[in-house]
């Protein structure tokens, strides 16, 4: 989504997607702290002041995150926001053709070589201040008092930071196939945390997941949950293949976890 998008309308680039989910986004584009943000209005009047924020993967604010926001809002009744963290400069979702879709498939090198320069341009030192500014403005401009942050892949790193002891800017988090996380991120968590995990994920291995579960098990004051989905690899919760019923089932499970966690902890 390009910076300067006409408020209230989804432009053509916002609707592009390598494997688009069916349907048309029902929300609109607004600006929060100068950041283009997809917003879908929740239907539950008793939940006003509570919000779910989706922090995207490297493919940014295209059609699929909007459709996910619509489903999550419809099921939860909460307002859902999806900020453009990359100022209209995401990785092209067409590169998904080089990524595995089911367990046992291998990466194609083109994706790895393409993403390096982009990752430096949008490194944590650049994107983290955008995330923080957005959340602070969401509370001040929209009178939001309780926030669940949901992060996909790179966005998963940011939700770990947001729920940690140094920032503590949100009230609950859900990580979906998180990446770039360390033991320290789990040790520093201070808010209820749930994770939707792939069966096979080179960014969040079985061994690391077991270690993370053990760390949080020693923090009983912080509710935690890990969901491992069958037949999936990294990316299933954000860019699923709509023609694969196994992956779509896992995608729905991830959305249901987001809703369950928000209702329990906001």
């Amino acid at each position: 989504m390009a910076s300067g998008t006409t408020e209230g309308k989804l432009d053509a680039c916002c609707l592009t997607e390598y494997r688009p989910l069916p349907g048309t986004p029902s929300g609109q584009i607004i600006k929060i702290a100068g950041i283009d943000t997809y917003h879908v209005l929740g239907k539950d009047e008793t939940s006003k002041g509570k919000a779910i924020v989706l922090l995207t993967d490297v493919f940014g604010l295209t059609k699929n995150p909007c459709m996910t926001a619509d489903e999550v809002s419809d099921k939860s009744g909460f307002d859902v926001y999806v900020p453009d963290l990359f100022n209209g400069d995401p990785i092209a979702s067409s590169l998904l053709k080089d990524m595995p879709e089911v367990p046992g498939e291998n990466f194609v090198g083109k994706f790895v070589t393409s993403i390096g320069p982009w990752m430096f341009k949008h490194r944590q030192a650049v994107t983290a201040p955008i995330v923080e500014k957005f959340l602070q403005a969401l509370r001040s401009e929209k009178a939001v008092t309780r926030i669940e942050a949901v992060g996909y892949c790179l966005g998963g790193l940011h939700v770990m930071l947001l729920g940690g002891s140094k920032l503590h800017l949100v009230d609950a988090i859900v990580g979906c196939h998180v990446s770039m996380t360390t033991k320290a991120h789990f040790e520093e968590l201070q808010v209820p945390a749930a994770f939707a995990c792939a069966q096979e994920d080179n960014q969040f291995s079985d061994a690391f997941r077991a270690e993370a579960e053990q760390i949080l098990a020693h923090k009983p004051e912080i509710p935690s949950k890990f969901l491992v989905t069958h037949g999936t690899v990294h990316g299933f919760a954000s860019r699923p293949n709509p023609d694969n019923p196994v992956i779509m089932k896992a995608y729905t499970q991830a959305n249901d976890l987001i809703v369950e966690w928000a209702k329990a902890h906001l």
Side-chain angles (χ1 to χ4, degrees):
M1 179 179 303
S3 181
T5 299
T6 302
E7 190 160 305
K9 296 182 179 179
L10 296 173
D11 63 9
C13 68
C14 186
L15 296 175
T16 59
E17 194 73 58
Y18 172 60
R19 283 192 296 252
L21 289 165
T24 301
S26 64
Q28 63 177 186
I29 300 299
I30 62 175
K31 283 191 180 289
I32 297 177
I35 299 167
D36 282 340
T37 302
Y38 180 75
H39 174 224
V40 56
L41 190 65
K43 298 176 182 177
D44 183 1
E45 291 297 326
T46 65
S47 295
K48 295 307 175 186
K50 300 177 180 180
I52 299 172
V53 175
L54 307 185
L55 302 180
T56 71
D57 56 18
V58 298
F59 303 107
L61 179 50
T62 51
K63 181 183 179 183
N64 282 7
C66 297
M67 297 307 303
T68 300
D70 285 4
E71 180 174 330
V72 168
S73 180
D74 184 62
K75 289 181 174 179
S76 68
F78 295 159
D79 282 13
V80 181
Y81 297 87
V82 191
D84 176 11
L85 304 181
F86 311 125
N87 194 30
D89 180 40
I91 290 285
S93 67
S94 59
L95 285 177
L96 282 167
K97 67 179 182 293
D98 298 323
M99 296 179 67
E101 181 181 319
V102 296
E105 293 182 343
N106 296 318
F107 272 99
V108 176
K110 182 180 177 182
F111 177 79
V112 177
T113 57
S114 299
I115 199 173
W118 185 92
M119 285 295 295
F120 179 77
K121 183 178 180 181
H122 297 283
R123 60 196 180 276
Q124 183 180 325
V126 175
T127 53
I130 296 172
V131 174
E132 293 172 35
K133 179 176 73 169
F134 174 82
L135 288 167
Q136 290 164 350
L138 190 61
R139 293 186 187 274
S140 62
E141 295 179 16
K142 301 298 180 182
V144 174
T145 58
R146 301 280 294 176
I147 299 172
E148 174 181 86
V150 181
Y152 301 85
C153 184
L154 178 61
L157 167 64
H158 287 296
V159 300
M160 297 295 289
L161 298 171
L162 294 170
S165 55
K166 294 178 182 178
L167 292 179
H168 205 155
L169 288 176
V170 297
D171 304 286
I173 67 168
V174 177
C176 298
H177 40 77
V178 298
S179 66
M180 302 177 67
T181 56
T182 66
K183 285 176 56 179
H185 292 128
F186 288 89
E187 291 167 346
E188 293 169 4
L189 272 179
Q190 290 190 335
V191 301
F195 299 90
C197 309
Q199 177 184 326
E200 182 178 287
D201 192 341
N202 66 334
Q203 298 292 315
F204 196 63
S205 67
D206 290 349
F208 185 45
R209 186 184 72 246
E211 198 169 20
E213 289 189 62
Q214 188 174 37
I215 291 170
L216 294 183
H218 286 89
K219 303 172 76 169
E221 72 281 5
I222 300 175
S224 61
K225 181 174 182 176
F226 289 78
L227 168 70
V228 180
T229 56
H230 170 71
T232 56
V233 296
H234 188 84
F236 75 92
S238 54
R239 312 285 167 171
N241 181 352
D243 296 324
N244 186 318
V246 173
I247 296 175
M248 287 304 295
K249 177 182 178 181
Y251 167 75
T252 299
Q253 288 177 309
N255 289 345
D256 288 345
L257 178 63
I258 293 166
V259 172
E260 169 198 331
W261 212 246
K263 287 185 173 182
H265 300 290
L266 292 189

